[in-house]
Amino acid sequence: MAPANVHPGSGSPQQQPSAERRLNSLVRHLLPSSPRRTAESSSATLESSPTMASQVASVFAGIAQAPEDPILGVTVAFNKDPNPNKVNLGVGAYRTEEGKPLVLNVVRRAEQMLINDPTRYKEYLPITGLAEFNKLSAKLIFGADSPAILENRVATVQCLSGTGSLRVGGEFLARHYHEHTVYIPQPTWGNHPKVFTLAGLKDVRYYRYYDPATRGLDFKGLLEDLGSAPNGAIVLIHACAHNPTGVDPTLDQWEQIRQLMRSKSLLPFFDSAYQGFASGSLDKDAQSVRMFVADGGELLMAQSYAKNMGMYGERVGALSIVCRSADVASRVESQLKLVIRPMYSSPPLHGPSVVATILKDSEMFKEWTVELKAMADRIISMRQQLFDALKARGTPGDWSHIIKQIGMFTFTGLTSEQVAFMRQEYHIYMTSDGRISMAGLNAKNVPILADAIHAAVTQLK
Ligand code: PGU
């Protein structure tokens, strides 16, 4: 019988590495034997024949199929739908009135400037990232005249967008903070509990936040739950434009939350993914954070430029830890480096260079705020259009929460059955909790959405 495992260029069976020979002999052993092998089949080897390779048990054979992500999986399903009129209101990503993703003009301009600069290299950044970007990011969220910045007691490290900032902050706390209980709002962005648990903060608990009856803040429940939290517990707070509910505390309520938290030494961990998107003003959307900094206490801040600068895929963000003194901040930074180095060594260069170019130039900064406000305003006008469209149809229910809620999302109150019905019948995609990304709406698809909601609430009660 001719040798069964000669691969073109691989030499005689004797010259093959022994592991490969053993594998090929295993393949021969597992395959049904044929007394008369043709020259073609006899020349097949493990590498050249996927069908043969697939008959060897994989070392990963026992792995279960993982479910799709509840948010990003909506886009996966949307992309598979061939219907030309489909609408994606799942992921929180801005779309223009024409339904297209947007790169801000000011971002294009900054990128062009960077490309035209022959002095720029692609060297590694330090573990902590681009120093200029870090300083500017802290100023953006805390305010240029923030006492914490002026007193040099903020440790800021560049991270992989908001998610990476939360993760690095979580791991830092798991290593160096005495309390591992973290409270997150009910409901919250679905990744929060996973990020914290995997960062080593294993005791994740919920505090009441949203009241489905009023479609507003459950302020009493929030105060009760934080009031009974163990002293020193970490509390995750959405700085503005709460995801998914679009419900934020008033300034007066923030002040009460601050007093309660400080009285129990609860450690605030702010997540700021939407600065500028709630009101259109960067300063206004940072008010909650600045109240907590003004009292001199400590906190963590995870910042993302995904939405407000449209830098989604560039993964630009920062983690700041506000400390009591410059000395503590410097030691905190040294420990943050030990969290980051074995995780991804150092962060990417392009995104933060673009952001820093914009933040440090007053004229470009101004241009950014105008573009940001235009995005926020378009979203606000979509709220009104959707509300009006439902009113015009006489859709049962009170839909005023659509115009009361703020930020990128409306938490519609639609049930998961109604959501499934709208996907099936109208090719409208949203997360199963009934959240819709207002940024995905435009004058063309608002009537389609309103028809779908009307049908869903009248047919499936
Ligand atoms: N925190 C909150 C409250 C968020 O809503 C998001 C993104 C992040 C952090 C993370 O943002 P990155 O800066 O991109 O890491 N939430 C969006 C985007 C899709 C997703 O789930 O990541 C959303 O649709 O909820």
Side-chain angles (χ1 to χ4, degrees):
M1 206 161 90
N5 55 358
V6 179
H7 186 262
S10 71
S12 71
Q14 287 74 20
Q15 289 164 329
Q16 285 181 17
S18 61
E20 190 185 332
R21 235 183 300 140
R22 275 204 305 278
L23 206 51
N24 280 332
S25 109
L26 186 65
V27 171
R28 277 203 308 281
H29 183 73
L30 292 172
L31 288 176
S33 59
S34 143
R36 292 173 53 124
R37 311 185 81 173
T38 63
E40 202 186 354
S41 72
S42 68
S43 72
T45 65
L46 195 57
E47 305 85 49
S48 64
S49 168
T51 44
M52 289 170 93
S54 68
Q55 300 193 32
V56 181
S58 165
V59 292
F60 304 115
I63 278 185
Q65 179 70 35
E68 286 288 356
D69 181 83
I71 298 175
L72 302 182
V74 174
T75 303
V76 175
F78 173 81
N79 288 339
K80 284 186 192 151
D81 186 339
N83 189 294
N85 299 319
K86 61 187 178 176
V87 180
N88 188 2
L89 306 176
V91 68
Y94 186 80
R95 295 287 176 266
T96 63
E97 183 59 32
E98 291 72 43
K100 296 272 185 296
L102 179 69
V103 179
L104 301 186
N105 280 329
V106 72
V107 166
R108 291 244 191 255
R109 208 145 71 79
E111 287 184 319
Q112 204 55 60
M113 283 165 66
L114 295 173
I115 287 168
N116 293 344
D117 180 352
T119 65
R120 290 184 55 79
Y121 296 106
K122 299 283 189 191
E123 291 292 289
Y124 289 127
L125 279 174
I127 298 171
T128 50
L130 193 67
E132 187 178 43
F133 164 84
N134 290 338
K135 280 211 177 70
L136 291 160
S137 295
K139 263 176 140 179
L140 184 72
I141 189 73
F142 300 128
D145 54 357
S146 169
I149 293 178
L150 299 176
E151 290 156 19
N152 234 348
R153 50 187 178 83
V154 185
T156 305
V157 290
Q158 181 196 325
C159 291
L160 302 181
S161 215
T163 310
S165 307
L166 291 164
R167 175 66 190 245
V168 169
E171 283 208 26
F172 169 82
L173 292 173
R175 287 191 201 183
H176 300 288
Y177 187 59
H178 64 88
E179 180 58 70
H180 283 187
T181 302
V182 47
Y183 279 78
I184 59 177
Q186 172 69 272
T188 191
W189 179 50
N191 218 13
H192 278 147
K194 301 172 203 171
V195 167
F196 288 129
T197 307
L198 288 169
L201 298 170
K202 298 251 159 42
D203 187 14
V204 178
R205 302 184 197 174
Y206 287 92
Y207 62 88
R208 275 171 285 168
Y209 189 86
Y210 178 76
D211 181 358
T214 61
R215 295 198 174 136
L217 186 69
D218 182 357
F219 190 51
K220 191 165 158 281
L222 180 151
L223 292 180
E224 276 172 18
D225 289 349
L226 295 187
S228 58
N231 276 6
I234 304 153
V235 181
L236 189 277
I237 301 174
H238 295 231
C240 70
H242 181 273
N243 176 11
T245 66
V247 173
D248 284 353
T250 62
L251 281 184
D252 185 49
Q253 288 169 331
W254 276 124
E255 176 53 20
Q256 290 182 59
I257 295 169
R258 187 194 66 76
Q259 284 179 17
L260 171 69
M261 285 184 60
R262 291 309 195 194
S263 75
K264 295 187 52 110
S265 304
L266 301 176
L267 182 64
F269 194 154
F270 280 93
D271 179 356
S272 174
Y274 300 95
Q275 188 184 359
F277 253 96
S279 67
S281 154
L282 287 159
D283 287 324
K284 210 165 164 216
D285 289 355
Q287 274 175 316
S288 62
V289 180
R290 293 178 189 177
M291 283 167 73
F292 279 76
V293 177
D295 68 17
E298 302 185 306
L299 59 85
L300 282 83
M301 158 54 63
Q303 254 175 296
S304 166
Y305 290 94
K307 329 277 164 145
N308 60 10
M309 226 179 253
M311 296 292 281
Y312 306 90
E314 298 289 357
R315 314 307 291 142
V316 201
L319 170 73
S320 287
I321 305 190
V322 176
C323 307
R324 288 261 179 209
S325 70
D327 173 49
V328 174
S330 142
R331 280 180 283 131
V332 163
E333 188 190 295
S334 73
Q335 290 294 342
L336 286 170
K337 285 159 76 172
L338 298 192
V339 174
I340 293 167
R341 171 67 166 152
M343 204 191 293
Y344 52 84
S345 191
S346 62
L349 175 64
H350 179 74
S353 306
V354 173
V355 172
T357 302
I358 295 168
L359 295 185
K360 74 179 173 197
D361 179 292
S362 60
E363 184 259 325
M364 289 180 101
F365 187 94
K366 178 90 199 2
E367 185 179 343
W368 173 43
T369 59
V370 172
E371 290 191 79
L372 175 58
K373 174 108 176 39
M375 289 194 285
D377 284 350
R378 203 188 78 74
I379 293 173
I380 291 167
S381 81
M382 284 306 122
R383 290 186 179 280
Q384 192 64 48
Q385 285 190 29
L386 179 60
F387 176 73
D388 291 346
L390 290 170
K391 254 188 114 181
R393 282 160 182 74
T395 307
D398 173 9
W399 298 96
S400 61
H401 56 288
I402 295 177
I403 35 183
K404 283 189 208 137
Q405 294 173 356
I406 57 170
M408 215 156 197
F409 305 107
T410 289
F411 207 46
T412 57
L414 293 164
T415 64
S416 58
E417 291 76 24
Q418 290 167 334
V419 169
F421 167 87
M422 287 164 63
R423 182 186 289 201
Q424 184 69 32
E425 301 296 324
Y426 289 84
H427 303 270
I428 292 173
Y429 288 74
M430 63 180 84
T431 51
S432 62
D433 58 1
R435 183 191 87 167
I436 56 179
S437 172
M438 298 309 289
L441 288 178
N442 53 54
K444 212 173 107 210
N445 62 25
V446 161
I448 306 171
L449 176 62
D451 285 345
I453 293 178
H454 187 86
V457 299
T458 47
Q459 291 175 40
L460 300 169
K461 290 202 176 108

